[in-house]
Amino acid sequence: MGMNYYKILKVDKNVKDDDLKKAYRQLVMKWHPDKNPTNKMEAESMFKQISEAYEVLSDPQKREVYDQYGEEGLKGQVPPPDPTAGDIPSSFGFNYRRADSIFADVYGHSNSFGANRGSSFFANGIFDDDIFGSIGGGGRGSMHQTGPRKDPHIESKMLCSLEELYNGATKKLQISREIVDAKGKTTNVQEVSEIHVKPGWKKGTKITIPEKGNKYPNVIPADLIFILEEKPHPVFTRERNDLIITQKISLTEALTGYTVHLTHLDGRNLSIPVNDVISPSYEEVIRKEGMPHKDPIKKGNLRIKFSIKFPTRLTLEQKAGIKKLLT
């Protein structure tokens, strides 16, 4: 079960705005980490919970969703009331603000404690089936800070197929972010960003979209960093810049020759004859038919491995015939 925000702030469901802010002030000053140097971990946890509860209950829209659906509704785990429809799917989810940002709004200055809750965004592939989910990042303010601070970057995975990594592709992402003005008014903005995937990119490649996290007063938005992940492929596996396939063949084919037929990642149909005797450890290597390098002229190799199906039993006549042929 999620947290009960009313119990955390020690208020009832009919609490008014002034009493809500008063309850927040009393609790946050009690549990501020700077006031609890001997039990800092517990204080940090309570400080986050108090700030999260106040953020929800002080916002009429979020409070209405919370009262109806609970914490799951805020996090988009149940359908929101009156969802909008359109060509680009709308994302419904609760974007947590940092505890120190809420503290600054109420008290007019920043605190020295950086909570783990922070700017968040929801990005999904609106023109394919990739879903990247929503994530959060933390920040650390300072009571002596004079200029705007920057939120720490936010990381998320970006799935790419092996075809996209072989040929290159353009990924279009929907990013939903909150923009809060100096008066505390929140505006939800949806933007579409493009990431141009270059041929040969590898798992772990990082792509940065600068300053597209949530925007708060006196805060530079976080950079969004997408970390590339490869989707599993039904035929090929990748090993650095080499492509590997495993072909199932019979013992007769292993001994007498076999032609491999396959469709490459760029759509070409290849026929590769193998005339050597194929042992269980045999590997056919076709040069420059693997993944591209950073240098487009260079490519890895295509490596074909074989899985040989041996017969479970032979008749006496078959054994005699094989002995005669092989000797």
Side-chain angles (χ1 to χ4, degrees):
M1 293 182 62
M3 293 186 289
N4 187 319
Y5 294 137
Y6 291 102
K7 285 188 177 180
I8 290 172
L9 294 179
K10 300 180 180 179
V11 295
D12 60 39
K13 288 192 174 183
N14 298 317
V15 64
K16 303 299 182 183
D17 290 345
D18 290 344
D19 292 333
L20 186 66
K21 182 174 287 189
K22 182 179 179 181
Y24 168 78
R25 285 175 177 269
Q26 290 176 344
L27 288 169
V28 81
M29 294 313 293
K30 175 183 177 181
W31 288 105
H32 194 289
D34 290 351
K35 288 183 171 289
N36 294 270
T38 58
N39 61 334
K40 201 171 185 70
M41 289 185 64
E42 181 187 4
E44 288 177 358
S45 176
M46 288 298 299
F47 184 66
K48 295 176 200 175
Q49 292 181 33
I50 293 162
S51 301
E52 182 179 323
Y54 178 75
E55 178 182 6
V56 172
L57 299 184
S58 62
D59 184 304
Q61 184 180 4
K62 292 174 183 175
R63 184 170 173 177
E64 181 181 355
V65 174
Y66 174 73
D67 287 344
Q68 187 171 357
Y69 293 102
E71 192 177 355
E72 291 77 12
L74 291 169
K75 296 179 180 178
Q77 296 173 6
V78 297
D82 301 321
T84 58
D87 295 332
I88 298 177
S90 61
S91 60
F92 180 79
F94 176 45
N95 289 328
Y96 288 100
R97 295 169 61 199
R98 291 196 322 277
D100 59 334
S101 178
I102 298 168
F103 185 92
D105 286 348
V106 175
Y107 283 91
H109 60 75
S110 171
N111 73 91
S112 60
F113 167 65
N116 288 332
R117 295 288 190 187
S119 305
S120 65
F121 70 93
F122 187 92
N124 58 5
I126 59 178
F127 301 109
D128 54 33
D129 294 329
D130 295 347
I131 294 179
F132 302 99
S134 59
I135 57 178
R140 183 173 295 274
S142 173
M143 293 184 70
H144 305 289
Q145 189 164 334
T146 56
R149 63 184 182 275
K150 182 168 183 176
D151 271 339
H153 68 264
I154 304 167
E155 293 186 353
S156 183
K157 294 179 181 179
M158 183 179 75
L159 292 174
C160 287
S161 67
L162 210 48
E163 284 85 356
E164 290 172 327
L165 297 175
Y166 184 90
N167 299 293
T170 298
K171 306 285 283 186
K172 295 187 177 182
L173 310 176
Q174 178 180 286
I175 297 174
S176 179
R177 57 199 296 242
E178 283 188 350
I179 298 178
V180 182
D181 63 21
K183 295 181 179 179
K185 181 182 177 182
T186 300
T187 304
N188 291 313
V189 177
Q190 292 191 358
E191 303 173 6
V192 175
S193 293
E194 290 187 353
I195 293 179
H196 299 284
V197 178
K198 295 181 180 180
W201 273 6
K202 297 179 181 179
K203 177 181 178 180
T205 298
K206 294 185 177 182
I207 308 99
T208 300
I209 302 180
E211 299 182 9
K212 288 296 183 180
N214 289 341
K215 171 63 177 172
Y216 301 114
N218 201 40
V219 177
I220 300 172
D223 295 340
L224 309 186
I225 298 180
F226 290 92
I227 303 174
L228 191 148
E229 291 280 347
E230 292 180 8
K231 290 182 182 178
H233 195 276
V235 176
F236 297 92
T237 56
R238 181 180 184 178
E239 189 174 293
R240 295 183 180 178
N241 290 311
D242 289 348
L243 289 172
I244 302 170
I245 68 167
T246 300
Q247 192 76 31
K248 293 182 179 180
I249 61 174
S250 67
L251 178 59
T252 302
E253 291 168 329
L255 296 174
T256 61
Y258 182 77
T259 298
V260 179
H261 299 282
L262 63 90
T263 301
H264 210 308
L265 294 170
D266 56 4
R268 289 178 296 131
N269 293 316
L270 303 182
S271 295
I272 304 164
V274 182
N275 298 316
D276 296 333
V277 173
I278 301 173
S279 66
S281 60
Y282 182 89
E283 185 175 285
E284 183 79 7
V285 178
I286 298 89
R287 292 179 54 79
K288 296 185 178 181
E289 284 291 357
M291 294 294 293
H293 287 241
K294 290 182 179 179
D295 182 347
I297 299 176
K298 296 181 180 180
K299 282 189 177 181
N301 299 326
L302 171 63
R303 294 157 49 192
I304 305 174
K305 299 182 179 183
F306 296 90
S307 174
I308 303 169
K309 184 179 180 180
F310 283 75
T312 55
R313 58 184 177 180
L314 297 171
T315 64
L316 291 174
E317 289 79 11
Q318 287 173 324
K319 289 180 181 178
I322 291 173
K323 283 182 180 180
K324 183 177 180 180
L325 288 172
L326 294 181
T327 56

